[in-house]
Amino acid sequence: MSASALAAQLFTGLVLGGLFVLLAIGLSLIFGLLTVVNFAHGSLYMLGAYFGFFLLGLTGSFWVALALAPLMVGVFGLLVERFLVRRLYGRSIDDPLLLTFGLSLVLVEAVKLVWGKVGLTLDPPRELGAAVNLGFMTFPVYRLFVIAVTALVLLALWLFLERTNVGLVIRAGSRDPLMVRALGIDLGRIWLVVFGIGTGLAGLAGILAGPMRGVYAEMGVTIVIESFVVVVVGGMGSLVGAIVAGVLIGEVVSLTTFVAPKLAEIMVFVVMALVLLVRPSGLFGEAGLLE
């Protein structure tokens, strides 16, 4: 394996890891505060890609689609939390899991009814369609753009959680919701905001992935399983764990695909098993969150 080929695979792993990070952070935010295992996350990722395709056809601008598609998925997430998930708070963790699993099936079939069963093509903007010479390899500009967007979103999310009053309440609510309620804060609105942010991130990952992976109804099925692996490896509810594990799993998949493509999907679970053997709660997780 040449050095340039290895570097290309490492950069490809970063791109894939960026998608995993966006999805896993959404899952971790929702689980960390609401204790909801959102099985519809993959379908919301798929919905982001289809909304992007719709908006691109409507406006002719990829940038407008990139800005509005995650917002549309986020608003849909708000409606899901308000009218479906909220009714199950305080019940067994299995109830919202089954609800979101059923919702994911409904969304896949609904998308097939609207856009058909045949996959669609989502083209990147012309200015990002070329490749750039990095000195040691040539790499598609759009994939570098995905890495940059992921880094900017992580920075914005960190500033939101660390430097705003709403972020302070979210962090406090995830650690001690009873105390936050005792201070007179309406946690229902906070949960609504968190669910909207988490689903919006899934929509963003979907439209970013569209030009690289294509747009089809089942596109969220495999990646949501890998994203759950990322969450488990990083530690349930841990944002730092989601970032570290997302990049780790992305690199594992990319390098394994290059060396032994048939083992790529298996290696994800091998890594998870090895991590859980050493740290049962994940790399950055806390024991007892699921109890």
Side-chain angles (χ1 to χ4, degrees), residues 56 60-63 122-132 140-143 145 211:
L56 182 59
S61 170
F62 178 84
W63 304 108
L122 183 61
D123 296 322
R126 184 176 303 174
E127 52 269 39
L128 299 181
V132 61
V141 176
Y142 182 76
R143 297 194 174 210
F145 171 74

Side-chain angles (χ1 to χ4, degrees), residues 242-255:
I243 296 170
V244 174
V247 174
L248 173 65
I249 296 297
E251 293 294 354
V252 167
V253 172
S254 178
L255 293 174

Side-chain angles (χ1 to χ4, degrees), residues 81-164:
E81 194 279 340
R82 178 63 184 84
F83 295 105
L84 296 177
V85 177
R86 183 172 296 188
R87 300 171 185 271
L88 303 180
Y89 291 153
R91 297 173 60 170
S92 164
I93 193 172
D94 297 334
D95 292 349
L97 187 154
L98 291 173
L99 170 72
T100 54
F101 179 70
L103 178 62
S104 70
L105 299 179
V106 170
L107 289 176
V108 169
E109 295 305 317
V111 161
K112 288 180 180 176
L113 285 176
V114 176
W115 281 285
K117 297 180 180 179
V118 180
L120 304 172
T121 302
L122 183 61
D123 296 322
R126 184 176 303 174
E127 52 269 39
L128 299 181
V132 61
N133 188 350
L134 299 178
F136 53 92
M137 66 170 187
T138 301
F139 201 72
V141 176
Y142 182 76
R143 297 194 174 210
L144 293 176
F145 171 74
V146 172
I147 296 174
V149 169
T150 303
L152 287 175
V153 168
L154 292 180
L155 177 62
L157 190 61
W158 179 81
L159 290 173
F160 172 70
L161 292 174
E162 295 291 332
R163 302 296 172 87
T164 67

